[in-house]
Amino acid sequence: MTVTMAAAPPQELHRRARRAALGSFVGTAIEWYDFFIYGTAAALVLGKQFFPGTSDLAGTLAAFATLAIGFVARPIGGIVMGHFGDRVGRKSMLVVSLLLMGCATVGIGLLPNYDAIGVLAPILLVTLRFVQGLGVGGEWGGAVLVATENAPEGRKGLYGAAPQIGVPAGVLVANLVFLPLTAFMSEDAFNSWGWRIPFLLSAVLVFVAMWIRLGLEESDEFEATKDREQSTKLPILEVLTRHWKTVLLAGGTFIATNGIAYAYMVYVLKYGETELGFSKTTMLFLLIGSCPFWMAGMALAAWKSDTLGRRTVYVRSSVALVVVAAVFFPLMDTAVLPVMAAAMIALGFTLGCCAGPQSALFAELFPPAIRYSGASLGYQVGAILGGGLAPIVATALYASFETSLAITGYFVLIALISLASILLLKVPGGTSSRSNDQEAV
């Protein structure tokens, strides 16, 4: 017999909530470590390894194009794992997503380059990147739901921030691994074999995350849905037929957060080196230094969303992002390190504020029976239109106009799209934490 939330002792509920938050955070951090080391490698070395014989610009664009392949795969992973996550359970899909990501990442680390196996090398690289995308596509929805559905009443925003904070944590670990490699290895050694080390380390990290995730439990809310026989045979079909507007607007709210974040994490590394004349190590230091502020913004905004309301916090953060997006590249172009650091910190903190309430907001938009499918699809729509295109668009804009003002215009445009989306999105409940925790219908 399933233990209901009312019957479970408070101490047991809090233990499960803490373990769910920890499992969501650690697993998400490691999955995004895997996803982000590819972005860093694409900016620093993959063009030379897998697309030789082209210009530096063409090689970079090709490497960033393979980065985008992962985003194409993400909604497929979200749909497939969302279906089984709604029908079978959240935990099993989190284990599957972790295995897919880990195996693909280690595979990239072992993959021979173009000089060794010719055109097969970029083909296999694209294939493994696609598998990475499948894994991470199913990750976010499951991690969010495990955290929010197990959270104490009135604290879904705060607990839901755990998988969100896992994203910058993954970025931080990824760049901390790359930093000593770029700082202490010769360029020839790094380009030859050093870049593979972060990919191979994933095997150890995935083992740790798997151990934690196998100990997770399904939420009482999900179990109650199964007991009442409310599960839907084709959750994605119901999402697409009855909730498609919600999916599109939810994705719209995420376009800027994801798109600007990927440019900030991936493109800016290349921009600082090629256009501003700084070393790889210096740019990695700037990114690493801003990550704690990114995480702090997430935690603060998620906490405030439990009292002020998801929509209120999201709108205010989105307005701030429009402003910061407008000044980011002008500040970076000063080429003064303290000013650049301030710009990176400000952007990271603001992106965090936008992402903080997102877990609870997306979960509350859909009923439990289709929640995994709905939240995952909305998230991945925003990811494709945001992060999947941003590094390519930024690179192409600068190559065409030879000024960062073009990239600034792009940043501001997508920030305004996301602001309009949250203003149009019908968010369940009012401004209190209790109303925010109501189930969406």
Side-chain angles (χ1 to χ4, degrees), residues 32 35-36 39 67 71 74 129 136 256-268 294 351 383 386-388 390-391:
W32 286 99
F35 207 67
F36 284 134
L67 177 72
F71 286 87
R74 282 170 62 165
R129 180 60 179 172
V136 82
T257 308
N258 193 249
I260 295 175
Y262 261 88
Y264 150 79
M265 293 179 295
V266 175
Y267 174 74
V268 170
W294 191 5
L351 288 169

Side-chain angles (χ1 to χ4, degrees), residues 5-362:
M5 191 171 292
Q11 185 176 1
E12 172 65 13
L13 291 177
H14 282 86
R15 183 196 67 80
R16 286 171 55 183
R18 289 192 297 269
R19 187 175 183 92
L22 176 64
S24 296
F25 167 75
V26 173
T28 302
I30 292 172
E31 284 227 32
W32 286 99
Y33 162 85
D34 287 355
F35 207 67
F36 284 134
I37 57 174
Y38 189 97
T40 302
L44 300 179
V45 72
L46 291 187
K48 300 173 183 176
Q49 291 292 312
F50 292 92
F51 304 97
T54 61
S55 67
D56 287 343
L57 174 60
T60 299
L61 284 171
F64 284 158
T66 62
L67 177 72
I69 293 296
F71 286 87
V72 174
R74 282 170 62 165
I76 300 174
I79 290 171
V80 174
M81 293 187 211
H83 170 82
F84 290 103
D86 284 327
R87 296 277 297 164
V88 179
R90 317 327 192 180
K91 172 184 170 180
S92 57
M93 291 303 101
L94 287 178
V95 171
V96 170
S97 70
L98 192 62
L99 285 174
L100 282 175
M101 176 63 79
C103 291
T105 302
V106 174
I108 292 173
L110 297 173
L111 185 62
N113 63 11
Y114 188 94
D115 289 341
I117 59 174
V119 72
L120 187 60
I123 292 174
L124 290 175
L125 179 67
V126 169
T127 302
L128 290 170
R129 180 60 179 172
F130 189 85
V131 175
Q132 275 194 324
L134 292 176
V136 82
E139 162 67 23
W140 186 85
V144 161
L145 298 189
V146 164
T148 57
E149 290 179 349
N150 283 290
E153 189 73 14
R155 303 184 71 184
K156 292 186 183 294
L158 182 60
Y159 276 72
Q164 296 292 78
I165 294 174
V167 177
V171 178
L172 185 61
V173 175
N175 285 288
L176 283 173
V177 171
F178 267 106
L179 184 62
L181 300 178
T182 60
F184 300 114
M185 293 183 72
S186 69
E187 186 168 354
D188 287 343
F190 176 77
N191 290 337
S192 175
W193 58 270
W195 66 270
R196 299 178 182 273
I197 294 174
F199 290 88
L200 299 178
L201 282 176
S202 175
V204 178
L205 299 177
V206 167
F207 178 81
V208 173
M210 188 64 67
W211 175 72
I212 295 174
R213 283 199 164 169
L214 287 174
L216 295 177
E217 301 174 49
E218 296 290 357
S219 71
D220 291 319
E221 186 176 7
F222 174 73
E223 293 290 359
T225 300
K226 291 176 64 179
D227 289 347
R228 292 195 301 266
E229 297 183 350
Q230 289 186 353
S231 60
T232 304
K233 290 185 178 180
L234 290 172
I236 190 62
L237 184 61
E238 184 171 340
V239 169
L240 293 175
T241 55
R242 297 184 57 191
H243 300 269
W244 62 271
K245 290 182 181 178
T246 300
V247 168
L248 290 178
L249 287 174
T253 68
F254 187 50
I255 290 174
T257 308
N258 193 249
I260 295 175
Y262 261 88
Y264 150 79
M265 293 179 295
V266 175
Y267 174 74
V268 170
L269 293 178
K270 191 72 175 179
Y271 182 83
E273 182 185 2
T274 59
E275 307 302 334
L276 301 180
F278 291 97
S279 67
K280 293 182 179 71
T281 303
T282 298
M283 296 309 299
L284 286 172
F285 263 122
L286 289 175
L287 180 57
I288 289 169
S290 65
C291 281
F293 295 91
W294 191 5
M295 298 163 74
M298 286 181 172
L300 175 63
W303 172 57
K304 296 301 292 183
S305 77
D306 281 328
T307 54
L308 297 178
R310 318 284 183 233
R311 190 174 189 274
T312 298
V313 174
Y314 218 123
V315 168
R316 292 177 181 178
S317 300
S318 297
V319 170
L321 185 59
V322 173
V323 176
V324 176
V327 301
F328 176 72
F329 270 101
L331 292 176
M332 293 295 290
D333 286 344
T334 64
V336 177
L337 281 175
V339 176
M340 294 169 66
M344 294 285 285
I345 289 170
L347 185 58
F349 181 79
T350 308
L351 288 169
C353 289
C354 290
Q358 185 185 27
S359 294
L361 173 67
F362 276 41

